[in-house]
Short mmCIF file of all heavy atoms in Angstrom, two decimals:
data_model
loop_
_atom_site.label_atom_id
_atom_site.label_comp_id
_atom_site.label_asym_id
_atom_site.label_seq_id
_atom_site.Cartn_x
_atom_site.Cartn_y
_atom_site.Cartn_z
N MET A 1 -15.43 -2.00 17.97
CA MET A 1 -14.43 -2.96 17.60
C MET A 1 -13.58 -3.34 18.82
O MET A 1 -13.23 -4.51 18.98
CB MET A 1 -13.56 -2.37 16.48
CG MET A 1 -12.62 -3.35 15.90
SD MET A 1 -13.54 -4.63 15.09
CE MET A 1 -12.35 -5.29 14.02
N ALA A 2 -13.26 -2.37 19.63
CA ALA A 2 -12.47 -2.64 20.83
C ALA A 2 -13.26 -3.55 21.77
O ALA A 2 -12.68 -4.45 22.41
CB ALA A 2 -12.09 -1.35 21.53
N GLY A 3 -14.57 -3.35 21.86
CA GLY A 3 -15.40 -4.19 22.71
C GLY A 3 -15.41 -5.64 22.24
O GLY A 3 -15.36 -6.56 23.05
N VAL A 4 -15.47 -5.85 20.94
CA VAL A 4 -15.44 -7.20 20.39
C VAL A 4 -14.10 -7.86 20.70
O VAL A 4 -14.04 -9.03 21.08
CB VAL A 4 -15.69 -7.17 18.87
CG1 VAL A 4 -15.43 -8.52 18.24
CG2 VAL A 4 -17.11 -6.70 18.58
N MET A 5 -13.03 -7.11 20.59
CA MET A 5 -11.70 -7.66 20.88
C MET A 5 -11.58 -8.03 22.36
O MET A 5 -10.97 -9.05 22.70
CB MET A 5 -10.62 -6.69 20.45
CG MET A 5 -10.56 -6.51 18.94
SD MET A 5 -9.39 -5.29 18.42
CE MET A 5 -7.90 -6.25 18.52
N VAL A 6 -12.14 -7.22 23.24
CA VAL A 6 -12.11 -7.53 24.67
C VAL A 6 -12.90 -8.79 24.95
O VAL A 6 -12.47 -9.67 25.70
CB VAL A 6 -12.65 -6.33 25.50
CG1 VAL A 6 -12.90 -6.73 26.94
CG2 VAL A 6 -11.69 -5.16 25.42
N LEU A 7 -14.08 -8.91 24.32
CA LEU A 7 -14.89 -10.11 24.54
C LEU A 7 -14.21 -11.36 23.98
O LEU A 7 -14.28 -12.44 24.58
CB LEU A 7 -16.26 -9.93 23.89
CG LEU A 7 -17.19 -8.94 24.60
CD1 LEU A 7 -18.48 -8.75 23.78
CD2 LEU A 7 -17.50 -9.41 26.00
N LEU A 8 -13.52 -11.24 22.86
CA LEU A 8 -12.79 -12.37 22.30
C LEU A 8 -11.61 -12.78 23.18
O LEU A 8 -11.21 -13.94 23.18
CB LEU A 8 -12.31 -12.06 20.89
CG LEU A 8 -13.36 -12.02 19.79
CD1 LEU A 8 -12.74 -11.56 18.48
CD2 LEU A 8 -14.02 -13.37 19.62
N ALA A 9 -11.05 -11.85 23.92
CA ALA A 9 -9.89 -12.14 24.77
C ALA A 9 -10.25 -12.95 26.00
O ALA A 9 -9.37 -13.51 26.66
CB ALA A 9 -9.21 -10.84 25.18
N PHE A 10 -11.54 -13.09 26.35
CA PHE A 10 -11.94 -13.84 27.55
C PHE A 10 -11.73 -15.34 27.38
O PHE A 10 -11.35 -16.03 28.32
CB PHE A 10 -13.40 -13.57 27.90
CG PHE A 10 -13.61 -12.23 28.56
CD1 PHE A 10 -14.58 -11.37 28.09
CD2 PHE A 10 -12.85 -11.84 29.65
CE1 PHE A 10 -14.79 -10.14 28.69
CE2 PHE A 10 -13.04 -10.62 30.25
CZ PHE A 10 -14.02 -9.76 29.77
N ASP A 11 -11.98 -15.87 26.19
CA ASP A 11 -11.87 -17.30 25.97
C ASP A 11 -10.48 -17.64 25.43
O ASP A 11 -9.90 -16.89 24.64
CB ASP A 11 -12.94 -17.75 24.97
CG ASP A 11 -13.03 -19.26 24.85
OD1 ASP A 11 -12.73 -19.95 25.85
OD2 ASP A 11 -13.38 -19.74 23.77
N GLY A 12 -9.93 -18.77 25.84
CA GLY A 12 -8.57 -19.16 25.46
C GLY A 12 -8.39 -19.36 23.97
O GLY A 12 -7.40 -18.93 23.39
N SER A 13 -9.36 -20.02 23.31
CA SER A 13 -9.20 -20.31 21.89
C SER A 13 -9.32 -19.04 21.04
O SER A 13 -8.60 -18.89 20.05
CB SER A 13 -10.22 -21.34 21.43
OG SER A 13 -11.53 -20.84 21.61
N THR A 14 -10.20 -18.14 21.42
CA THR A 14 -10.32 -16.90 20.65
C THR A 14 -9.17 -15.95 20.98
O THR A 14 -8.82 -15.12 20.15
CB THR A 14 -11.68 -16.22 20.90
OG1 THR A 14 -11.85 -16.01 22.29
CG2 THR A 14 -12.81 -17.06 20.34
N ARG A 15 -8.57 -16.08 22.16
CA ARG A 15 -7.41 -15.27 22.51
C ARG A 15 -6.24 -15.62 21.58
O ARG A 15 -5.51 -14.74 21.10
CB ARG A 15 -7.02 -15.47 23.96
CG ARG A 15 -5.97 -14.51 24.44
CD ARG A 15 -5.65 -14.69 25.92
NE ARG A 15 -6.85 -14.80 26.74
CZ ARG A 15 -7.09 -15.82 27.57
NH1 ARG A 15 -6.23 -16.80 27.69
NH2 ARG A 15 -8.21 -15.84 28.28
N VAL A 16 -6.08 -16.91 21.31
CA VAL A 16 -5.04 -17.35 20.37
C VAL A 16 -5.31 -16.76 18.99
O VAL A 16 -4.38 -16.31 18.29
CB VAL A 16 -4.98 -18.89 20.31
CG1 VAL A 16 -4.05 -19.36 19.20
CG2 VAL A 16 -4.52 -19.44 21.64
N ALA A 17 -6.56 -16.74 18.58
CA ALA A 17 -6.91 -16.17 17.28
C ALA A 17 -6.58 -14.68 17.23
O ALA A 17 -6.14 -14.17 16.19
CB ALA A 17 -8.40 -16.39 16.99
N LEU A 18 -6.76 -13.97 18.32
CA LEU A 18 -6.41 -12.55 18.36
C LEU A 18 -4.91 -12.35 18.20
O LEU A 18 -4.46 -11.46 17.47
CB LEU A 18 -6.88 -11.91 19.67
CG LEU A 18 -8.36 -11.62 19.79
CD1 LEU A 18 -8.68 -11.14 21.21
CD2 LEU A 18 -8.77 -10.58 18.78
N VAL A 19 -4.12 -13.18 18.86
CA VAL A 19 -2.66 -13.06 18.75
C VAL A 19 -2.20 -13.40 17.34
O VAL A 19 -1.39 -12.68 16.75
CB VAL A 19 -1.97 -13.96 19.80
CG1 VAL A 19 -0.48 -14.01 19.58
CG2 VAL A 19 -2.30 -13.48 21.20
N VAL A 20 -2.72 -14.47 16.78
CA VAL A 20 -2.35 -14.86 15.42
C VAL A 20 -2.78 -13.78 14.42
O VAL A 20 -2.05 -13.45 13.48
CB VAL A 20 -2.97 -16.23 15.06
CG1 VAL A 20 -2.80 -16.55 13.58
CG2 VAL A 20 -2.34 -17.31 15.91
N GLY A 21 -3.96 -13.21 14.63
CA GLY A 21 -4.42 -12.14 13.75
C GLY A 21 -3.52 -10.92 13.82
O GLY A 21 -3.22 -10.28 12.80
N ALA A 22 -3.06 -10.57 15.02
CA ALA A 22 -2.16 -9.42 15.16
C ALA A 22 -0.83 -9.69 14.46
O ALA A 22 -0.28 -8.81 13.78
CB ALA A 22 -1.93 -9.11 16.63
N VAL A 23 -0.30 -10.91 14.59
CA VAL A 23 0.95 -11.26 13.91
C VAL A 23 0.75 -11.22 12.40
O VAL A 23 1.60 -10.72 11.65
CB VAL A 23 1.44 -12.66 14.36
CG1 VAL A 23 2.60 -13.14 13.51
CG2 VAL A 23 1.84 -12.61 15.83
N TRP A 24 -0.38 -11.73 11.93
CA TRP A 24 -0.68 -11.72 10.49
C TRP A 24 -0.76 -10.29 9.96
O TRP A 24 -0.22 -9.99 8.89
CB TRP A 24 -1.99 -12.47 10.24
CG TRP A 24 -2.41 -12.48 8.81
CD1 TRP A 24 -3.50 -11.86 8.27
CD2 TRP A 24 -1.74 -13.11 7.71
NE1 TRP A 24 -3.55 -12.08 6.92
CE2 TRP A 24 -2.48 -12.85 6.55
CE3 TRP A 24 -0.58 -13.87 7.62
CZ2 TRP A 24 -2.09 -13.33 5.30
CZ3 TRP A 24 -0.21 -14.35 6.36
CH2 TRP A 24 -0.96 -14.07 5.23
N LEU A 25 -1.41 -9.41 10.67
CA LEU A 25 -1.50 -8.01 10.23
C LEU A 25 -0.12 -7.35 10.22
O LEU A 25 0.18 -6.55 9.33
CB LEU A 25 -2.46 -7.23 11.12
CG LEU A 25 -3.94 -7.57 10.94
CD1 LEU A 25 -4.79 -6.80 11.94
CD2 LEU A 25 -4.39 -7.26 9.52
N ALA A 26 0.73 -7.69 11.18
CA ALA A 26 2.08 -7.14 11.19
C ALA A 26 2.88 -7.63 9.99
O ALA A 26 3.61 -6.86 9.35
CB ALA A 26 2.79 -7.53 12.50
N LEU A 27 2.74 -8.92 9.65
CA LEU A 27 3.41 -9.45 8.46
C LEU A 27 2.91 -8.78 7.18
O LEU A 27 3.71 -8.43 6.30
CB LEU A 27 3.21 -10.96 8.37
CG LEU A 27 4.03 -11.80 9.33
CD1 LEU A 27 3.60 -13.26 9.26
CD2 LEU A 27 5.50 -11.67 9.03
N LEU A 28 1.61 -8.62 7.07
CA LEU A 28 1.06 -7.95 5.89
C LEU A 28 1.55 -6.51 5.78
O LEU A 28 1.87 -6.03 4.69
CB LEU A 28 -0.47 -7.97 5.94
CG LEU A 28 -1.15 -9.30 5.65
CD1 LEU A 28 -2.66 -9.15 5.78
CD2 LEU A 28 -0.79 -9.79 4.27
N GLY A 29 1.61 -5.82 6.90
CA GLY A 29 2.11 -4.45 6.89
C GLY A 29 3.57 -4.38 6.46
O GLY A 29 3.98 -3.49 5.71
N GLY A 30 4.38 -5.33 6.94
CA GLY A 30 5.79 -5.36 6.54
C GLY A 30 5.97 -5.64 5.07
O GLY A 30 6.77 -5.00 4.38
N VAL A 31 5.21 -6.59 4.53
CA VAL A 31 5.28 -6.90 3.10
C VAL A 31 4.83 -5.70 2.28
O VAL A 31 5.45 -5.36 1.27
CB VAL A 31 4.43 -8.15 2.78
CG1 VAL A 31 4.23 -8.32 1.28
CG2 VAL A 31 5.09 -9.39 3.37
N HIS A 32 3.80 -5.05 2.72
CA HIS A 32 3.31 -3.87 1.99
C HIS A 32 4.36 -2.77 1.98
O HIS A 32 4.60 -2.14 0.95
CB HIS A 32 2.01 -3.36 2.63
CG HIS A 32 1.51 -2.11 2.00
ND1 HIS A 32 0.91 -2.09 0.77
CD2 HIS A 32 1.54 -0.82 2.41
CE1 HIS A 32 0.58 -0.85 0.46
NE2 HIS A 32 0.96 -0.06 1.45
N ALA A 33 4.99 -2.54 3.12
CA ALA A 33 6.00 -1.48 3.20
C ALA A 33 7.22 -1.79 2.34
O ALA A 33 7.83 -0.88 1.77
CB ALA A 33 6.42 -1.28 4.66
N LEU A 34 7.56 -3.07 2.21
CA LEU A 34 8.77 -3.42 1.46
C LEU A 34 8.53 -3.57 -0.04
O LEU A 34 9.36 -3.15 -0.84
CB LEU A 34 9.34 -4.74 2.00
CG LEU A 34 9.93 -4.67 3.40
CD1 LEU A 34 10.35 -6.06 3.86
CD2 LEU A 34 11.11 -3.73 3.43
N TRP A 35 7.42 -4.20 -0.43
CA TRP A 35 7.27 -4.55 -1.83
C TRP A 35 6.12 -3.89 -2.56
O TRP A 35 6.21 -3.66 -3.76
CB TRP A 35 7.08 -6.06 -1.97
CG TRP A 35 8.34 -6.81 -1.71
CD1 TRP A 35 9.49 -6.71 -2.42
CD2 TRP A 35 8.57 -7.76 -0.68
NE1 TRP A 35 10.42 -7.54 -1.88
CE2 TRP A 35 9.90 -8.22 -0.81
CE3 TRP A 35 7.78 -8.28 0.33
CZ2 TRP A 35 10.44 -9.15 0.03
CZ3 TRP A 35 8.34 -9.22 1.18
CH2 TRP A 35 9.64 -9.64 1.02
N VAL A 36 5.05 -3.58 -1.90
CA VAL A 36 3.84 -3.12 -2.59
C VAL A 36 3.79 -1.61 -2.72
O VAL A 36 3.45 -1.08 -3.77
CB VAL A 36 2.57 -3.65 -1.88
CG1 VAL A 36 1.32 -3.14 -2.55
CG2 VAL A 36 2.60 -5.16 -1.85
N ARG A 37 4.13 -0.89 -1.65
CA ARG A 37 3.99 0.57 -1.63
C ARG A 37 4.87 1.19 -2.70
O ARG A 37 6.05 0.90 -2.79
CB ARG A 37 4.39 1.10 -0.26
CG ARG A 37 4.18 2.59 -0.12
CD ARG A 37 4.61 3.07 1.21
NE ARG A 37 6.06 2.84 1.35
CZ ARG A 37 6.70 2.80 2.50
NH1 ARG A 37 6.06 2.95 3.61
NH2 ARG A 37 7.99 2.59 2.54
N PRO A 38 4.31 2.06 -3.53
CA PRO A 38 5.13 2.72 -4.54
C PRO A 38 6.15 3.64 -3.89
O PRO A 38 5.90 4.26 -2.87
CB PRO A 38 4.12 3.52 -5.38
CG PRO A 38 2.93 3.67 -4.51
CD PRO A 38 2.92 2.51 -3.57
N ARG A 39 7.30 3.70 -4.49
CA ARG A 39 8.38 4.54 -3.95
C ARG A 39 8.52 5.80 -4.80
O ARG A 39 8.42 5.76 -6.01
CB ARG A 39 9.68 3.77 -3.95
CG ARG A 39 9.60 2.49 -3.16
CD ARG A 39 10.98 1.94 -2.95
NE ARG A 39 10.95 0.59 -2.42
CZ ARG A 39 10.76 0.30 -1.15
NH1 ARG A 39 10.55 1.25 -0.28
NH2 ARG A 39 10.76 -0.94 -0.75
N ARG A 40 8.75 6.91 -4.11
CA ARG A 40 8.98 8.17 -4.80
C ARG A 40 10.47 8.33 -5.03
O ARG A 40 11.27 8.17 -4.12
CB ARG A 40 8.50 9.34 -3.96
CG ARG A 40 7.16 9.86 -4.38
CD ARG A 40 6.89 11.16 -3.72
NE ARG A 40 7.01 11.00 -2.27
CZ ARG A 40 6.83 11.97 -1.41
NH1 ARG A 40 6.52 13.16 -1.83
NH2 ARG A 40 6.95 11.78 -0.12
N GLU A 41 10.83 8.67 -6.24
CA GLU A 41 12.23 8.95 -6.52
C GLU A 41 12.46 10.43 -6.31
O GLU A 41 11.78 11.27 -6.88
CB GLU A 41 12.56 8.58 -7.95
CG GLU A 41 12.50 7.09 -8.23
CD GLU A 41 12.88 6.78 -9.65
OE1 GLU A 41 13.56 7.61 -10.28
OE2 GLU A 41 12.50 5.71 -10.12
N ASP A 42 13.44 10.74 -5.46
CA ASP A 42 13.79 12.14 -5.25
C ASP A 42 14.78 12.55 -6.33
O ASP A 42 15.79 11.88 -6.55
CB ASP A 42 14.42 12.33 -3.86
CG ASP A 42 13.42 12.09 -2.75
OD1 ASP A 42 12.22 12.34 -3.00
OD2 ASP A 42 13.83 11.66 -1.67
N PRO A 43 14.50 13.65 -7.02
CA PRO A 43 15.43 14.08 -8.07
C PRO A 43 16.77 14.50 -7.46
O PRO A 43 16.82 15.03 -6.35
CB PRO A 43 14.71 15.25 -8.73
CG PRO A 43 13.69 15.70 -7.76
CD PRO A 43 13.35 14.51 -6.90
N GLN A 44 17.82 14.26 -8.18
CA GLN A 44 19.16 14.63 -7.73
C GLN A 44 19.30 16.15 -7.81
O GLN A 44 18.70 16.79 -8.67
CB GLN A 44 20.19 13.96 -8.62
CG GLN A 44 20.01 12.46 -8.65
CD GLN A 44 21.24 11.76 -8.15
OE1 GLN A 44 22.28 12.37 -8.03
NE2 GLN A 44 21.11 10.50 -7.85
N PRO A 45 20.09 16.74 -6.92
CA PRO A 45 20.30 18.19 -6.99
C PRO A 45 20.94 18.56 -8.33
O PRO A 45 21.85 17.88 -8.80
CB PRO A 45 21.26 18.48 -5.84
CG PRO A 45 21.21 17.29 -4.95
CD PRO A 45 20.76 16.13 -5.79
N GLY A 46 20.44 19.58 -8.95
CA GLY A 46 20.96 20.02 -10.23
C GLY A 46 20.35 19.29 -11.40
O GLY A 46 20.69 19.54 -12.55
N SER A 47 19.47 18.36 -11.15
CA SER A 47 18.85 17.59 -12.22
C SER A 47 17.74 18.41 -12.85
O SER A 47 17.02 19.14 -12.19
CB SER A 47 18.28 16.30 -11.65
OG SER A 47 17.55 15.63 -12.64
N THR A 48 17.60 18.28 -14.15
CA THR A 48 16.54 19.00 -14.86
C THR A 48 15.39 18.07 -15.18
O THR A 48 14.50 18.42 -15.93
CB THR A 48 17.07 19.61 -16.17
OG1 THR A 48 17.60 18.56 -16.98
CG2 THR A 48 18.12 20.66 -15.87
N ARG A 49 15.42 16.87 -14.62
CA ARG A 49 14.38 15.90 -14.87
C ARG A 49 13.05 16.39 -14.30
O ARG A 49 12.97 16.83 -13.16
CB ARG A 49 14.76 14.58 -14.24
CG ARG A 49 13.87 13.46 -14.68
CD ARG A 49 14.43 12.18 -14.13
NE ARG A 49 13.36 11.54 -13.38
CZ ARG A 49 13.48 10.42 -12.77
NH1 ARG A 49 14.62 9.82 -12.74
NH2 ARG A 49 12.46 9.88 -12.13
N LYS A 50 12.01 16.28 -15.11
CA LYS A 50 10.69 16.71 -14.69
C LYS A 50 10.11 15.68 -13.74
O LYS A 50 10.17 14.49 -13.99
CB LYS A 50 9.79 16.85 -15.91
CG LYS A 50 8.40 17.34 -15.59
CD LYS A 50 7.58 17.45 -16.86
CE LYS A 50 6.16 17.81 -16.52
NZ LYS A 50 5.31 17.82 -17.70
N THR A 51 9.54 16.13 -12.63
CA THR A 51 8.92 15.21 -11.70
C THR A 51 7.55 14.83 -12.22
O THR A 51 6.85 15.64 -12.81
CB THR A 51 8.78 15.84 -10.29
OG1 THR A 51 8.01 17.03 -10.40
CG2 THR A 51 10.15 16.16 -9.72
N THR A 52 7.18 13.59 -11.98
CA THR A 52 5.88 13.13 -12.45
C THR A 52 4.81 13.49 -11.43
O THR A 52 5.04 13.48 -10.24
CB THR A 52 5.89 11.60 -12.67
OG1 THR A 52 6.23 10.99 -11.44
CG2 THR A 52 6.88 11.21 -13.74
N GLY A 53 3.68 13.79 -11.91
CA GLY A 53 2.56 14.13 -11.06
C GLY A 53 1.29 13.95 -11.85
O GLY A 53 1.28 13.39 -12.93
N ALA A 54 0.21 14.43 -11.31
CA ALA A 54 -1.06 14.31 -12.01
C ALA A 54 -1.04 15.18 -13.25
O ALA A 54 -0.77 16.36 -13.19
CB ALA A 54 -2.20 14.72 -11.10
N GLY A 55 -1.27 14.55 -14.37
CA GLY A 55 -1.29 15.27 -15.63
C GLY A 55 -2.65 15.89 -15.87
O GLY A 55 -3.50 15.95 -14.98
N PRO A 56 -2.88 16.33 -17.11
CA PRO A 56 -4.17 16.95 -17.41
C PRO A 56 -5.33 15.97 -17.24
O PRO A 56 -6.44 16.37 -16.95
CB PRO A 56 -4.05 17.36 -18.88
CG PRO A 56 -2.65 17.13 -19.29
CD PRO A 56 -1.97 16.36 -18.22
N SER A 57 -5.06 14.67 -17.37
CA SER A 57 -6.14 13.70 -17.23
C SER A 57 -6.45 13.40 -15.77
O SER A 57 -7.41 12.73 -15.46
CB SER A 57 -5.78 12.40 -17.95
OG SER A 57 -4.68 11.79 -17.30
N GLY A 58 -5.58 13.87 -14.86
CA GLY A 58 -5.80 13.61 -13.45
C GLY A 58 -5.31 12.24 -13.02
O GLY A 58 -5.65 11.75 -11.96
N ASP A 59 -4.50 11.58 -13.86
CA ASP A 59 -3.99 10.25 -13.56
C ASP A 59 -2.61 10.39 -12.92
O ASP A 59 -1.62 10.51 -13.61
CB ASP A 59 -3.91 9.44 -14.86
CG ASP A 59 -3.39 8.03 -14.63
OD1 ASP A 59 -3.56 7.53 -13.51
OD2 ASP A 59 -2.82 7.46 -15.57
N PRO A 60 -2.53 10.36 -11.56
CA PRO A 60 -1.24 10.59 -10.90
C PRO A 60 -0.22 9.51 -11.16
O PRO A 60 0.97 9.75 -11.12
CB PRO A 60 -1.60 10.66 -9.42
CG PRO A 60 -2.89 9.95 -9.30
CD PRO A 60 -3.59 10.12 -10.62
N ALA A 61 -0.65 8.29 -11.44
CA ALA A 61 0.30 7.20 -11.65
C ALA A 61 0.75 7.11 -13.11
O ALA A 61 1.69 6.41 -13.42
CB ALA A 61 -0.33 5.89 -11.21
N GLY A 62 0.07 7.81 -14.00
CA GLY A 62 0.43 7.76 -15.41
C GLY A 62 0.10 6.41 -16.04
O GLY A 62 0.78 5.97 -16.95
N LEU A 63 -0.93 5.74 -15.55
CA LEU A 63 -1.27 4.42 -16.05
C LEU A 63 -2.13 4.45 -17.30
O LEU A 63 -2.10 3.52 -18.10
CB LEU A 63 -2.00 3.61 -14.97
CG LEU A 63 -1.20 3.38 -13.69
CD1 LEU A 63 -2.06 2.67 -12.66
CD2 LEU A 63 0.05 2.57 -13.98
N GLU A 64 -2.89 5.50 -17.46
CA GLU A 64 -3.77 5.56 -18.62
C GLU A 64 -3.02 6.14 -19.81
O GLU A 64 -2.25 7.08 -19.68
CB GLU A 64 -4.99 6.42 -18.32
CG GLU A 64 -5.88 5.84 -17.25
CD GLU A 64 -7.09 6.70 -16.98
OE1 GLU A 64 -7.34 7.65 -17.76
OE2 GLU A 64 -7.78 6.46 -16.00
N GLU A 65 -3.26 5.55 -20.98
CA GLU A 65 -2.65 6.07 -22.19
C GLU A 65 -3.53 7.19 -22.73
O GLU A 65 -4.73 7.20 -22.53
CB GLU A 65 -2.51 4.96 -23.22
CG GLU A 65 -1.54 3.88 -22.81
CD GLU A 65 -1.37 2.84 -23.90
OE1 GLU A 65 -1.74 3.12 -25.07
OE2 GLU A 65 -0.87 1.77 -23.59
N PRO A 66 -2.92 8.13 -23.44
CA PRO A 66 -3.75 9.18 -24.03
C PRO A 66 -4.68 8.61 -25.11
O PRO A 66 -4.38 7.60 -25.72
CB PRO A 66 -2.73 10.16 -24.65
CG PRO A 66 -1.44 9.42 -24.69
CD PRO A 66 -1.51 8.31 -23.70
N ALA A 67 -5.79 9.27 -25.30
CA ALA A 67 -6.75 8.82 -26.29
C ALA A 67 -6.16 8.96 -27.69
O ALA A 67 -5.46 9.92 -27.99
CB ALA A 67 -8.04 9.63 -26.18
N ARG A 68 -6.45 8.00 -28.52
CA ARG A 68 -5.94 8.03 -29.89
C ARG A 68 -7.11 8.18 -30.86
O ARG A 68 -8.22 7.76 -30.59
CB ARG A 68 -5.19 6.74 -30.20
CG ARG A 68 -3.97 6.60 -29.31
CD ARG A 68 -3.13 5.43 -29.73
NE ARG A 68 -1.96 5.38 -28.84
CZ ARG A 68 -1.36 4.28 -28.49
NH1 ARG A 68 -1.80 3.13 -28.94
NH2 ARG A 68 -0.32 4.31 -27.72
N ALA A 69 -6.81 8.78 -31.99
CA ALA A 69 -7.84 8.98 -33.02
C ALA A 69 -8.19 7.65 -33.65
O ALA A 69 -7.30 6.80 -33.84
CB ALA A 69 -7.35 9.96 -34.07
N PRO A 70 -9.46 7.42 -33.96
CA PRO A 70 -9.84 6.16 -34.62
C PRO A 70 -9.21 6.07 -36.01
O PRO A 70 -9.00 7.08 -36.68
CB PRO A 70 -11.36 6.22 -34.69
CG PRO A 70 -11.72 7.64 -34.53
CD PRO A 70 -10.60 8.29 -33.76
N ARG A 71 -8.92 4.85 -36.43
CA ARG A 71 -8.31 4.65 -37.76
C ARG A 71 -9.33 4.51 -38.84
O ARG A 71 -10.35 4.05 -38.78
CB ARG A 71 -7.43 3.40 -37.74
CG ARG A 71 -6.28 3.58 -36.81
CD ARG A 71 -5.40 2.36 -36.87
NE ARG A 71 -4.34 2.56 -35.92
CZ ARG A 71 -3.30 1.80 -35.83
NH1 ARG A 71 -3.16 0.78 -36.63
NH2 ARG A 71 -2.38 2.02 -34.95
#
């Protein structure tokens, strides 16, 4: 990958593409850090609140609902 980037840097038009690509990746990383990445809530000292983690189903995000009996 580094070799491809070096070869692209030789020509003026592809050099511009490398710079724009680097700026684009930096913007994507900033947006991800601010809005997309899930945040962990640290429990307050003295709090008895249970921290969430992987349950018996192995679903760390708690997105799956438990199975229900058919009606």
Side-chain angles (χ1 to χ4, degrees):
M1 188 65 160
V4 170
M5 293 176 80
V6 168
L7 289 174
L8 287 174
F10 283 130
D11 189 30
S13 62
T14 55
R15 189 177 313 125
V16 172
L18 284 173
V19 172
V20 170
V23 171
W24 178 247
L25 288 176
L27 285 173
L28 286 178
V31 167
H32 176 74
L34 292 175
W35 288 298
V36 178
R37 184 182 63 200
R39 303 192 190 280
R40 260 192 305 180
E41 293 182 21
D42 293 330
Q44 304 240 346
S47 173
T48 58
R49 191 173 125 180
K50 182 180 175 185
T51 59
T52 58
S57 66
D59 180 26
L63 299 176
E64 295 180 11
E65 293 184 17
R68 296 187 179 149
R71 295 183 182 190

